[in-house]
């Protein structure tokens, strides 16, 4: 029960820090001080949400990777001013293939090491 309360307190702390950071950025932006254009862009927000979800799941569950992939590619397009759209399918397939090959706790190429008893 104490672990549950600890996790809840940690989640509130992280949420509080995130809201404080967003509020400060918004305040600086409203004061007219220099803010990079990408700070309040949707791809940056998507990237941040994906990384936060990955952190909360110890980067194990795969759902956060989709958010990071989409947000990251659009973020790079904005920063580099280069269109990566023709390469998105290829990059997605390469990334998914690498993830499936190095995914922890799964069978290694169809061979389960746990069942090998030296026979």
């Amino acid at each position: 029960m104490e672990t549950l309360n600890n996790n809840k307190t940690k989640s509130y702390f992280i949420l509080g820090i995130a809201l404080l950071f967003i509020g400060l950025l918004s305040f600086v932006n409203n004061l007219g001080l220099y803010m990079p254009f990408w700070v309040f862009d949707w791809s940056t927000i998507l990237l941040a949400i994906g990384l936060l979800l990955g952190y909360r799941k110890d980067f194990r569950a795969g759902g956060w990777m989709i958010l990071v992939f989409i947000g990251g590619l659009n973020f790079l397009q904005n920063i580099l001013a280069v269109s990566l759209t023709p390469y998105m399918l290829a990059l997605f397939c390469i990334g998914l293939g690498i993830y499936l090959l190095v995914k922890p706790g799964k069978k290694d190429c169809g061979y389960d090491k746990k069942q090998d008893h030296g026979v």
Side-chain angles (χ1 to χ4, degrees):
M1 188 70 170
E2 198 163 311
T3 305
L4 181 62
N5 288 336
N6 239 355
N7 289 340
K8 194 173 183 180
T9 304
K10 185 177 177 182
S11 295
Y12 283 137
F13 180 75
I14 292 172
L15 180 62
I17 294 292
L19 288 174
L20 180 67
F21 186 70
I22 291 169
L24 287 173
L25 287 176
S26 180
F27 187 71
V28 168
N29 189 34
N30 288 334
L31 286 175
L33 299 175
Y34 174 73
M35 276 302 255
F37 69 93
W38 49 266
V39 172
F40 290 110
D41 191 43
W42 67 270
S43 59
T44 306
I45 295 168
L46 194 64
L47 185 61
I49 291 171
L51 289 173
L52 181 64
L53 289 174
Y55 174 74
R56 289 186 68 203
K57 301 289 183 183
D58 293 328
F59 296 100
R60 292 183 193 197
W64 64 273
M65 294 179 83
I66 295 170
L67 296 174
V68 169
F69 178 77
I70 294 170
L73 280 179
N74 285 305
F75 180 77
L76 283 176
Q77 284 186 146
N78 289 339
I79 297 296
L80 301 177
V82 175
S83 177
L84 298 174
T85 306
Y87 308 109
M88 281 197 185
L89 179 63
L91 291 172
F92 179 74
C93 289
I94 290 169
L96 184 61
I98 290 172
Y99 174 73
L100 291 174
L101 288 174
V102 298
K103 191 174 178 182
K106 296 293 178 188
K107 294 179 182 179
D108 185 22
C109 297
Y111 178 72
D112 191 2
K113 294 178 183 176
K114 294 177 184 174
Q115 293 180 357
D116 185 19
H117 298 292
V119 178

